[in-house]
Amino acid sequence: MKVAIIGGGAAGMSAASRVKALQPDWEVTVFEKSRWVSHAPCGIPFFVGGAVEKFDDLCAYDIEYFRHERGIDVHTGARVIEVDDGILRVNDGGKETTYEWDKLLFATGSKAIKLGVEGEDLDGIIYVDDIENAERVKMEAAKVDNVVVVGSGYIGVEMADAITRLGKNVTVIEVMERPLPEYDAEIAAIIKSEMEKYVNLRLSERVTAFEGKDRVEKVITNKGEYPCELAIIAVGVVPNTDLAKGLVDLGVKRAIKTNSRMETSRENIYAAGDCAESINVVTGKEDWIPLAAPANKMGYVAGVNMAGYEMHYPGSLKSQLTGFKNIEIGKAGLSENEAIRQGYEVVSAFITSRTSARYLPGGLIHLKVVADRKGKLLGLQAVGKDVAMRVYAASALLYKNGDVRDLFFTDFPYYPPVSRVWDPLVVAARNIFRKLGVP
């Protein structure tokens, strides 16, 4: 049996490894357009900022490990040109070659959204969706003084943090009215306050052009202009489904439509990772959730099913963690705005609490819990200190369709340096009780 996998990132290598483990005699071939596999684009800001010293550390395993230890035929620098029934045409190291397949996985990831403005092709303008751009960003940032980051989603916020750690002047331009626009206003206000201490944060501004002779020198917006020797563009991504169009059905946001076995509309063709849709665990609806943890699990499930076994992917919560300087930022499930757009009648509670007992030094956490009028837990957002442990706890409850009573009665451990007898999650749940009329 010949298994072909397009894409050597998280989903692709998880699937390849699973197939080979379950069917060691099958031929498993991975085609990856870059020079690396099992790479971690999420680590790019930490490499740029100096927390990760060596670029190679961004790859979980090297290529030879997969080739020799797992028996996977990995082709790097191999760009798939065309997919047909049982056939792939590949530009493999500059030479066009044809490969046969019996089972196929699309693990082609996502690609950056372009701004579509004048001058965006100038030298010094870099998109950070590709692992190959990490070294370029770090090298170019070292040579300049003024850096503009366009977009303040997770990558934009983390890149702004990283570049300021290099001692550069950073301007962040965001078209929406707050940073991390997926978060509700109460949480975003705290993130905004922290970011303004370190960067020139320009909200509700839209980039209209870049100017410069051969290299970018200035960014023009609908409200002003800013000096710029390096521009980092992080305005979002879309599913990379160019190869799949016309071959399999597309679904949410033009991601590849899949079932819980990661099967597409065509027999023996699967999809996993950022190019594929999945189920949102909270809403129960098809969604597109391009994050690393779901990608790995989707790849695992795809590999199990491609190998002839049975496993189902239940969906994702969109659980996320990030940070800026001294604050952690996290979210699981739906924000209040997202829940309203999904048609829920929403109840929420926003609290600020210490994360340690009052007699010990500690920090503050700002936390928002969202539920519906029946008490079903819909989501959590938090910013401040010790955020990760609260996001983990909420994720587990959301995954099991928990309600506000579950949040209140969960036996969260008490340890004075990092948690309180009445944990902030429990306090928030108690506040929602009052709004629901629970005694």
Side-chain angles (χ1 to χ4, degrees):
M1 186 71 70
K2 295 180 179 180
V3 175
I5 295 174
I6 308 175
M13 297 316 296
S14 290
S17 298
R18 204 77 216 116
V19 172
K20 201 64 180 175
L22 296 172
Q23 299 288 357
D25 295 331
W26 288 13
E27 295 180 24
V28 178
T29 307
V30 175
F31 302 96
E32 166 59 39
K33 65 182 180 179
S34 76
R35 293 176 286 161
W36 300 275
V37 296
S38 194
H39 44 68
C42 298
I44 292 174
F46 304 99
F47 170 72
V48 171
V52 177
E53 291 185 9
K54 296 188 294 184
F55 177 76
D56 288 347
D57 289 340
L58 295 181
C59 298
Y61 301 95
D62 63 26
I63 296 166
E64 295 308 313
Y65 172 82
F66 286 109
R67 287 174 176 160
H68 298 301
E69 298 297 322
R70 297 191 177 179
I72 300 167
D73 185 14
V74 179
H75 294 246
T76 55
R79 184 180 296 273
V80 176
I81 302 168
E82 186 179 8
V83 181
D84 207 343
D85 288 336
I87 295 291
L88 294 180
R89 277 201 310 118
V90 184
N91 184 325
D92 196 345
K95 179 182 178 182
E96 190 170 309
T97 310
T98 300
Y99 293 88
E100 296 180 353
W101 59 267
D102 299 303
K103 296 191 178 188
L104 175 69
L105 173 70
F106 284 106
T108 46
S110 58
K111 57 184 179 180
I113 296 172
K114 302 293 184 181
L115 288 172
V117 300
E118 184 179 351
E120 70 175 327
D121 294 326
L122 285 168
D123 192 25
I125 299 175
I126 304 176
Y127 290 82
V128 292
D129 64 319
D130 194 324
I131 189 75
E132 294 188 298
N133 284 334
E135 289 181 302
R136 183 182 167 201
V137 171
K138 187 167 187 174
M139 180 181 66
E140 296 210 14
K143 299 184 294 186
V144 304
D145 295 316
N146 299 300
V147 179
V148 172
V149 177
V150 183
S152 68
Y154 283 97
I155 294 296
V157 167
E158 290 173 4
M159 287 302 298
D161 186 347
I163 299 296
T164 60
R165 293 178 189 275
L166 301 178
K168 310 302 178 180
N169 302 317
V170 178
T171 297
V172 177
I173 300 172
E174 168 59 52
V175 71
M176 303 300 285
E177 64 184 10
R178 53 182 179 255
L180 290 174
E182 288 188 350
Y183 285 71
D184 288 326
E186 303 97 321
I187 300 293
I190 296 156
I191 300 168
K192 173 178 178 289
S193 177
E194 184 70 9
M195 289 184 69
E196 287 177 333
K197 298 174 186 176
Y198 301 93
V199 306
N200 178 21
L201 182 61
R202 313 302 304 176
L203 301 173
S204 301
E205 285 196 40
R206 177 173 48 85
V207 172
T208 57
F210 297 95
E211 291 185 357
K213 293 180 181 178
D214 298 316
R215 182 182 177 88
V216 65
E217 300 171 8
K218 187 186 299 184
V219 177
I220 311 298
T221 75
N222 59 327
K223 294 184 178 180
E225 55 184 56
Y226 307 94
C228 174
E229 299 155 279
L230 173 65
I232 297 169
I233 315 300
V235 294
V237 295
V238 293
N240 185 9
T241 55
D242 293 343
L243 285 170
K245 289 176 184 175
L247 185 69
V248 296
D249 291 345
L250 303 184
V252 175
K253 296 191 178 175
R254 310 300 289 169
I256 299 171
K257 191 171 185 61
T258 62
N259 61 20
S260 63
R261 299 180 80 249
M262 309 318 300
E263 296 170 318
T264 71
S265 58
R266 293 283 293 271
E267 187 177 4
N268 293 323
I269 300 181
Y270 298 73
D274 291 3
C275 67
E277 72 171 20
S278 61
I279 295 296
N280 185 307
V281 171
V282 177
T283 66
K285 300 176 183 177
E286 290 84 2
D287 204 345
W288 179 58
I289 302 175
L291 294 169
N296 275 286
K297 294 171 187 174
M298 291 163 77
Y300 188 101
V301 170
V304 167
N305 290 305
M306 292 174 81
Y309 293 82
E310 184 81 11
M311 183 175 282
H312 294 267
Y313 183 65
S316 308
L317 284 169
K318 232 178 201 177
S319 298
Q320 303 164 328
L321 284 170
T322 188
F324 186 86
K325 300 304 179 186
N326 300 314
I327 59 171
E328 297 175 30
I329 305 164
K331 179 175 180 285
L334 306 178
S335 68
E336 184 170 4
N337 286 332
E338 289 169 335
I340 291 170
R341 288 199 299 270
Q342 288 290 332
Y344 290 100
E345 190 176 354
V346 172
V347 177
S348 68
F350 173 74
I351 68 161
T352 297
S353 171
R354 286 175 54 86
T355 58
S356 62
R358 61 177 178 78
Y359 50 80
L360 287 172
L364 295 177
I365 187 170
H366 312 273
L367 186 147
K368 184 173 183 178
V369 172
V370 181
D372 70 8
R373 282 286 173 185
K374 295 180 180 179
K376 172 183 165 67
L377 192 61
L378 299 178
L380 167 96
Q381 302 155 78
V383 59
K385 184 174 175 58
D386 296 323
V387 165
M389 58 196 287
R390 273 83 194 187
V391 173
Y392 278 150
S395 294
L397 290 170
L398 285 162
Y399 183 78
K400 300 305 290 184
N401 199 33
D403 61 20
V404 179
R405 288 180 182 269
D406 295 321
L407 185 63
F408 180 83
F409 285 112
T410 294
D411 189 8
F412 299 119
Y414 167 47
Y415 179 52
V418 295
S419 61
R420 314 194 76 188
V421 172
W422 290 93
D423 190 86
L425 289 170
V426 177
V427 174
R430 192 170 61 190
N431 284 2
I432 291 181
F433 276 178
R434 298 189 185 103
K435 297 182 180 182
L436 295 176
V438 177

